Amino acid sequence: MIAMARIARLSDVLINKIAAGEVVERPASVVKELVENSLDAGSSTIRVDLAGGGVDRIIISDDGHGMGRHDATLCLERHATSKLRELDDLFHIDSMGFRGEAVPAIASVSRFSLHTAEVGADVGTRVTLEGGVDPLIEDAPPRTGTVITVEDLFFNVPARRKFLRRGDTELKHAEEAVVRLALANPEVGFFATHEGNELFSSAACPEDPRERIAAALGPAAHPHLFPVEERRLGVSVTGYAASPEFTFPNARGLYTFVNRRYVRDRGLIGTIQRAYQDFLAAGRQPVVVLHIDVDPIAVDVNVHPQKLEVRFSDARGVQEAISAALNRMLRAAPWLGAGADPNGPGGNQPRDAAHYALAVERFLTRAQEASWGAPLPTTLDAASGGAPSHALSGAPGPMVGIPSSLPFGAVGRPPAFGEAQPQLNEAPPPGYFAALRPMGLLGGRFHLCEGPGGTLVVLDPHAALERTRLTTYLRALDDAKGPPAPSLFGTTLEFPVQVAKALVEGREALSRLGVDVEPFGGTTVALKTVPPGLEGADARSLLEALARALPPKGAALDSVTLAEAVRVMACHAARKAGSVPLTDAQLRALLGELDRADFHPPCIHGTVVVLEMPLLELERRAR
Ligand SMILES: Nc1ncnc2c1ncn2[C@@H]1O[C@H](COP(=O)(O)OP(=O)(O)OP(=O)(O)O)[C@@H](O)[C@H]1O
Ligand SMILES: [Mg+2]
């Protein structure tokens, strides 16, 4: 008897249909994939014309580099891509597509045609096929770019066609897909229609991306949008954020893009919402369009079939950069005009001090940039060529103050002006701080010191205090004996119901941190004790911040929550103490404490404790 074969190879057509199940969910996914291809082809204008909510017809036309006959045929084959040649490339993805999957998958579940030509060719190519089989390849007039027409989506997969939504739901999704792509690419013109009616229209606006945001969210948004920017080692956050005066009742004005890819990541959205929480009324959501750019090697985009989620190698660093970018804008309150009070809502730093910090940072960055490529002192060499997240690797390394000593070399390009910000939360060599020789005060706030080998060291006392406080509080938390003898505080404060409730329900957690609160009738809470270092802190803002850090009722009190609360306390302790310049004796004591501090746990603002400028660098510049 002849044995029946149980295993047979699937045909390519069937494989494409299965892949279509992942890549092509609905018309919106077709729009997204095809527009991404147009973007990858370097187009400057992209048109999307829909009929029947995109189910009946989707036409994407671009003016990109087009395809020759060979590529136009090959792109319909699975895993045919011009964008990825080797496994190594998978970790350096800088195009939107890389799998060579989208076109064949879409073609397998539709009536598909493409018309394309290479730049300068006398003849173009048209390829037509139904259900992904028997492509008809013909000559066609030459043209600039590519037009792809996708008709009767899922005509040959009735089960899927049935799942498409009625009414204008599919259209809404397709429109949103266009909006996301348009927000990500303001230097490309986007025009979309549905059965002749305009859906979206925005010419390229590289000069003022706010025009694009206004096209997406309504012209009323434009005057309320302010630029935000934070560039750090390995991550840049740029974009526009609306003042708290312009909000939505839902999160539809929140857009985040990672390396130009729209993502909807709970961590990123949560970080944005937290930055705004002191400014917005309950139930209102901020309007923020943020572009997060990281080295492609530091982000994995291949974790989701539709590339909607990403995984950062340094998620915390990214969140800190976002908070810093938004906090700076919100604190400066540019919507209040020139007369803005920097100590107004959310402000805690005199504006000129912040200015000064920026100036020092710029100076160091520029000096560093001038030395790009020059050999660096040996103490800093150890940090070069490592992984991009060196500063967070936990490996004890030298104090790194000069960005070029950090692994930008590995990325192969020097940092742009103002881009590099040293990430200094690293363990310094033992005794580093005690050996510093204080020389004076800069800008009434920064301490200048002479470090090993004549290195100029700029110390930020606020960041330093926060670091030492954080260490003390974390150690106390680990200590079985409980918090150190608390200071008596004794004050009563009235809070909004939610805050009062969170504080009273979180009493147990708070007492483990050395903060004793008691209900005092109504929504009044008595604060009895605080841990050392927090005497004299602003009790109201401290308790409000702690209330936010506490877990909701019933949720487990884990070490993550406690650590968050500890960070809040450290930040407030530093805020209070950092407002007046330190005396010599206080500075000495602080330096001693810094040598015992733990530089690994992140603090709230990810602040930099010291910046270093090696003597060698100064000498080189003096020459
Ligand atoms: N509009 C276009 N202009 C020029 N070339 C295109 C266009 N659309 C597709 N191509 C070519 O066809 C190839 C296949 O496209 P397809 O979308 O299937 O794969 P991909 O973009 O490489 O990867 P992914 O499946 O991740 O999107 C692309 O690599 C590109 O070379
Ligand atoms: Mg593609």
Side-chain angles (χ1 to χ4, degrees), residues 23-359:
V23 181
V24 190
E25 191 192 348
R26 52 180 10 144
S29 14
V30 174
V31 169
K32 169 176 175 288
E33 291 295 336
L34 296 182
V35 171
E36 285 187 351
N37 283 347
S38 297
L39 289 165
D40 282 344
S43 307
S44 47
T45 304
I46 299 174
R47 288 196 56 90
V48 178
D49 297 294
L50 307 172
V55 182
D56 294 348
R57 191 181 311 114
I58 298 168
I59 305 175
I60 312 279
S61 338
D62 70 44
D63 58 359
H65 58 55
M67 285 177 274
R69 178 72 45 101
H70 178 76
D71 284 356
T73 321
L74 197 66
C75 77
L76 286 151
E77 277 174 31
R78 194 165 153 78
H79 301 309
T81 173
S82 54
K83 301 164 196 171
L84 190 69
R85 298 248 181 257
E86 297 183 7
L87 178 63
D88 219 30
D89 294 344
L90 195 50
F91 302 100
H92 300 92
I93 289 165
D94 55 6
S95 55
M96 301 304 292
F98 51 85
R99 296 178 187 140
E101 214 164 66
V103 166
I106 293 165
S108 74
V109 292
S110 68
R111 299 185 222 278
F112 184 100
S113 84
L114 80 82
H115 175 190
T116 187
E118 266 176 322
V119 181
D122 317 327
V123 61
T125 301
R126 189 188 318 277
V127 183
T128 319
L129 65 172
E130 288 195 2
V133 291
D134 301 333
L136 173 67
I137 300 155
E138 311 166 277
D139 280 355
R143 57 159 286 133
T144 305
T146 304
V147 196
I148 292 185
T149 307
V150 175
E151 287 177 309
D152 296 329
L153 191 63
F154 297 134
F155 79 97
N156 56 348
V157 198
R160 283 198 85 92
R161 194 165 167 110
K162 240 182 24 219
F163 275 102
L164 293 177
R165 297 301 161 110
R166 321 237 156 258
D168 62 358
T169 307
E170 294 304 336
L171 180 61
K172 283 266 163 288
H173 282 289
E175 191 180 351
E176 179 63 16
V178 173
V179 164
R180 291 172 183 174
L181 291 155
L183 284 174
N185 300 278
E187 71 294 339
V188 176
F190 277 84
F191 301 91
T193 64
H194 183 245
E195 295 170 8
N197 300 315
E198 182 178 284
L199 285 179
F200 185 86
S201 164
S202 171
C205 45
E207 308 307 319
D208 186 5
R210 283 177 300 183
E211 288 170 18
R212 181 56 55 88
I213 301 172
L217 299 177
H222 196 291
H224 299 280
L225 295 166
F226 296 93
V228 292
E229 178 172 357
E230 172 75 10
R231 294 179 193 276
R232 296 183 171 201
L233 197 66
V235 48
S236 115
V237 174
T238 54
Y240 288 86
S243 79
E245 290 159 356
F246 187 83
T247 58
F248 282 149
N250 52 33
R252 77 174 180 91
L254 274 172
Y255 287 89
T256 48
F257 301 90
V258 174
N259 293 353
R260 298 233 169 186
R261 217 176 273 288
Y262 172 82
V263 297
R264 191 126 196 119
D265 182 276
R266 280 176 58 208
L268 296 181
I269 296 290
T271 305
I272 296 173
Q273 289 168 329
R274 273 195 298 282
Y276 270 87
Q277 69 190 358
D278 287 345
F279 294 86
L280 299 187
R284 303 303 297 183
Q285 292 281 345
V287 173
V288 176
V289 178
L290 274 194
H291 299 270
I292 297 137
D293 291 288
V294 295
D295 191 286
I297 203 171
V299 60
D300 188 355
V301 294
N302 197 22
V303 294
H304 189 274
Q306 289 152 28
K307 307 175 191 128
L308 257 182
E309 287 163 19
V310 292
R311 195 181 294 134
F312 294 106
S313 59
D314 175 16
R316 178 133 229 146
V318 170
Q319 293 189 359
E320 284 172 2
I322 294 174
S323 311
L326 293 173
N327 286 338
R328 192 173 314 118
M329 189 285 272
L330 290 168
R331 239 181 246 165
W335 61 92
L336 297 179
D341 173 10
N343 294 316
N348 58 40
Q349 246 183 17
R351 188 182 271 185
D352 49 351
H355 241 87
Y356 217 87
L358 208 67

Side-chain angles (χ1 to χ4, degrees), residues 8-22:
R9 273 182 216 284
L10 298 177
S11 73
D12 270 358
V13 176
L14 191 55
I15 292 174
N16 286 337
K17 271 199 189 178
I18 294 170
E22 282 181 8

Side-chain angles (χ1 to χ4, degrees), residues 6 159 342 362:
R6 286 180 194 282
R362 286 247 166 93

Side-chain angles (χ1 to χ4, degrees), residues 579-599:
S579 50
V580 276
L582 301 175
T583 64
D584 286 354
Q586 284 171 325
L587 178 59
R588 275 272 139 240
L590 177 62
L591 291 172
E593 261 190 86
L594 279 171
D595 274 327
R596 294 187 292 277
D598 184 350
F599 276 75

Side-chain angles (χ1 to χ4, degrees), residues 507 509-517 527 529-531 534 542-543 546 569:
R507 273 164 72 191
L510 290 174
S511 79
R512 283 180 60 187
L513 301 166
V515 178
D516 281 320
V517 294
L527 175 59
T529 61
V530 290
L534 277 165
L542 172 67
L543 286 184
L546 282 172
M569 297 201 308

